[in-house]
Structure formats: structure tokens, C-alpha cells
Amino acid sequence: MNPVKIGNIKIDNPICLAPMAGFSALPFRVICGEMGAAYCPTELVSARSIRFNGLGRNSRYSKIDPAREKIPVIQLFGSEPEDFSAAVSKLLADPRYQGLKILDINMGCPVPKVIKTGSGSALMTDPVRASAIVAATVKAVEQAGADIPVTCKTRTGYDDRDKSGPDFARALAEAGASMICIHGRTRPQMYAGYADYDAIARMTEAVKPCNIPVFANGDVKDGKSALKALERTGADGLMVGRAARGNPWVFRKITDELEGREFEEPSDLEKRQMLLRELIERREENADCEEGAVVREFRSVMPFYIKGEEGAAALKRALCNASSIDEVKEILELD
Ligand SMILES: Cc1cc2nc3c(=O)[nH]c(=O)nc-3n(C[C@H](O)[C@H](O)[C@H](O)COP(=O)(O)O)c2cc1C
């Protein structure tokens, strides 16, 4: 793959982790980075909440670690340009976010709770507002004296009749977005069916005159599917979501296979050890929380690490009842 530039940031191997609420905790992002993901954004964080509640309450989800992340990226969602201006000013004035390298804006979330507020994929119905959000974010970065590119993650349309994707992408680029990532599904498709690479290609084409990279997203899980997504969309890079759940090795697999190297799948033991590592690091990150709460939150993640193992169903049931790290270790027969 060719290197890409997102604003001032050069990326040699443009395959990133797609943000995933519930999965994109800092330890997992660090692990995916070690496996070769170019960068790994946080899950969506409310710009309005940062504006009005500050970073204390939000720091769990917006936490970055420039010492362990090559390119720390925060994804914000919201519907009011002023919320983004205020949130960005707060973030960039806070010493904990000095190493922030990219700000991403969510314009694709299909969840009703988010859409109801005019955020996420609802922004696809209001390109003027979406552009105003990009412009306000870029301006707030400039006013803070920072050099941080603003990127957008969106879908191919609000619904199946919506043909405005190319115009929407172009509007975001003209408003100042330094990269656009396109998930090849419309909002009502949620995550069902196949990603529409032709629709991504039309949007990529529309953005060409603006000279910014486009990343394609949807259904990439190995070298073959990565090549197909790149060739069919004409995109400059890729984001990988679901295939990375419990499988951070997917980044190494894609890169190895694209570059013609044999990839050796991790053993069941390696997967179990990685599950435990993520859990222990999540615990360390949340030292002020009760251990049981951290383990319970991790219950939705654990099954992905043991998928495909013999006896996975019984193992999954046991893990989904665990409330302590010791219990998880015992179930997985790890020291
Ligand atoms: C559990 C889950 C949580 C997600 N949370 C976010 C999110 O916080 N922000 C975002 O932009 N997309 C989110 N997405 C969408 C993914 O980033 C990605 O666009 C989608 O899964 C399609 O890519 P894939 O086929 O590689 O999974 C989420 C997806 C899943 C499955």
C-alpha cells in the first residue's frame, strides 16, 4: 500500500482500527497498534458532554496514551458546531491531550439514541450543518495554536434512496476535512448485508479534486478482502472493525497477505493470553472502579477471543458469568 498523508501526518501502512463502542478501550487500541494498525481512534465521545461536563466524566472513553499509541485519535459526536468548538478548546487546553494527533467526527452512527439528537448519521441529511461542524472544529484547532487534522467517518447514505453521498463527501472536504472514511452501508442497513464498494467509489471520486485521502470501511478481514476493497473503491486506506474484535492479529494478517508473506494464525493459547492481557490492562486503566464492574463490562468482548475454539459455547457461558480476573484465569486455565 502507498503511504498517505492526513494533514501533516504521514502514514506508511494505512490500515486502521475502526472505532467501536465497547471494544475500543485504550488497552485494545494499544494492542492493535502493536499488531500493525496505523492508528486506532477512541469510540465516539460526546462533544456536548465534554463542553458541559468537562473531561472528568468523559475521560474514560476519551483517554489517550501518547507514550503507547503512535497516533492518538479521538472521535467526537454531536450536532451543534458550538459543542465541537468548546469541546476541542477544552481538549487542547488539557495537558493529558497534548499528544493528540487527529480529531475525528462521527457522521455515521445509526443508533436511535444518537440520531435523535441530530448527531451521527443524521448529519447526512443536513450537509450544511455537517460542514459547519467540520469548519468549527478546524477553527477551534487553529485557535488553540495546534496542527491537528480533522477527519470524518460517514456512511454511503442516510437511507437506500439517498443518492447524496458524493455531494456530502465533497462538502465535508471543502469544509476542511483532511480525510474521510466511508463505511459502505446506509443507516438502515446498520451492519447487515455487504458493504457497497461501488457507492464508496463514487464518493471517493467526488472528493478527488480536494486532494485528501479517503479510507474505505466494511467487511475487510484478510488480505484478499482488503485488496478487493482497495481495488473496487479506489480508496487510499482501510478501516477494519468487526474482524478485529478479539482478533487484533487481523492487522498483521492483512499486511502480511497484501505483501505476499505467509501469516501464521495465533494459537488458542495465544488468544486466551491476549484476552487476559486486555482484561488486566483494562483493570489497571480503571483502578478506581470495582474489579467486578470491569470484568462485567468485558463480558461482551471475551467471546470474540475464544471464537472457533473447540468447546467455545461452554467456555463462553462460563466467561459470561465471571466477575473477577481470577475466575477468568481459572476458566481459561491460565496462571
Ligand atoms: C459494536 C460496534 C460499535 C461501533 N461503534 C462505533 C463508534 O463508536 N464510532 C464509529 O464511527 N463507528 C462505530 N461502529 C462502526 C464501525 O466503526 C465500522 O464502521 C463498521 O463496523 C463496519 O466495518 P466492519 O465491516 O469492518 O466491521 C461500531 C461498530 C460496531 C460493530
Side-chain angles (χ1 to χ4, degrees):
M1 292 182 82
N2 296 323
V4 302
K5 274 196 97 178
I6 300 180
N8 58 337
I9 297 174
K10 184 166 172 254
I11 294 173
D12 287 327
N13 187 35
I15 306 174
C16 300
L17 176 68
M20 284 184 291
F23 291 85
S24 296
L26 177 60
F28 184 63
R29 298 188 340 250
V30 169
I31 292 167
C32 288
E34 288 172 9
M35 293 290 177
Y39 67 77
C40 307
T42 65
E43 66 180 62
L44 75 178
V45 183
S46 165
R48 192 174 191 83
S49 182
I50 295 178
R51 178 184 184 185
F52 291 112
N53 303 318
L55 282 154
R57 209 160 109 185
N58 288 287
S59 57
R60 227 176 127 223
Y61 302 107
S62 60
K63 194 167 183 178
I64 58 166
D65 184 353
R68 290 190 295 156
E69 293 182 277
K70 285 172 284 190
I71 301 176
V73 182
I74 294 180
Q75 185 186 64
L76 295 173
F77 77 98
S79 61
E80 297 295 335
E82 301 76 38
D83 289 346
F84 284 83
S85 309
V88 170
S89 306
K90 279 203 170 152
L91 276 167
L92 299 184
D94 188 317
R96 291 171 298 177
Y97 295 95
Q98 285 313 301
L100 185 66
K101 290 273 192 277
I102 296 176
L103 273 162
D104 185 56
I105 302 174
N106 182 310
M107 298 193 179
C109 181
V111 174
K113 196 173 76 181
V114 169
I115 291 188
K116 232 173 31 204
T117 64
S119 316
S121 53
L123 286 169
M124 296 201 74
T125 64
D126 194 345
V128 173
R129 178 178 289 269
S131 301
I133 287 174
V134 174
T137 308
V138 170
K139 191 167 166 206
V141 169
E142 278 167 13
Q143 280 174 345
D147 186 10
I148 293 177
V150 174
T151 61
C152 296
K153 182 161 172 287
T154 188
R155 289 183 173 241
T156 48
Y158 184 71
D159 57 32
D160 297 338
R161 284 165 314 181
D162 180 8
K163 302 280 177 251
S164 67
D167 290 342
F168 185 71
R170 176 79 177 253
L172 299 179
E174 285 174 351
S178 291
M179 181 278 258
I180 300 172
C181 172
I182 305 159
H183 174 195
R185 289 184 176 82
T186 58
R187 176 197 50 90
Q189 283 180 294
M190 303 288 274
Y191 304 102
Y194 295 105
D196 182 349
Y197 293 146
D198 297 334
I200 298 180
R202 288 192 287 276
M203 291 170 77
T204 305
E205 198 55 38
V207 169
K208 276 248 161 75
C210 303
N211 267 323
I212 59 162
V214 169
F215 279 40
N217 169 234
D219 305 340
V220 174
K221 56 181 195 308
D222 51 23
K224 193 170 159 215
S225 52
L227 194 61
K228 179 174 160 193
L230 286 168
E231 285 181 350
R232 292 265 308 272
T233 63
D236 308 281
L238 298 169
M239 278 205 165
V240 179
R242 290 165 300 168
R245 290 183 298 186
N247 181 26
W249 292 269
V250 71
F251 296 101
R252 193 174 282 166
K253 181 179 170 79
I254 293 172
T255 312
D256 280 355
E257 291 180 353
L258 281 180
E259 292 173 3
R261 286 188 300 272
E262 185 110 352
F263 171 77
E264 199 182 322
E265 296 289 345
S267 66
D268 290 350
L269 177 63
E270 282 173 299
K271 291 189 204 165
R272 288 179 179 207
Q273 284 167 334
M274 192 63 91
L275 178 161
L276 187 62
R277 172 182 163 188
E278 188 185 339
L279 173 59
I280 290 171
E281 291 186 11
R282 276 179 174 242
R283 170 76 189 118
E284 286 163 3
E285 287 299 331
N286 296 287
D288 51 338
C289 285
E290 203 203 321
E291 180 175 313
V294 176
V295 177
R296 281 192 294 278
E297 190 181 71
F298 199 53
R299 283 178 181 172
S300 53
V301 177
M302 290 190 282
F304 289 97
Y305 276 106
I306 54 151
K307 223 168 101 183
E309 268 198 42
E310 218 183 295
L315 209 53
K316 179 179 161 184
R317 272 194 301 278
L319 288 171
C320 289
N321 282 311
S323 305
S324 72
I325 295 177
D326 280 343
E327 256 179 278
V328 170
K329 276 189 194 164
E330 205 179 303
I331 295 164
L332 296 176
E333 298 173 7
L334 296 172
D335 311 319

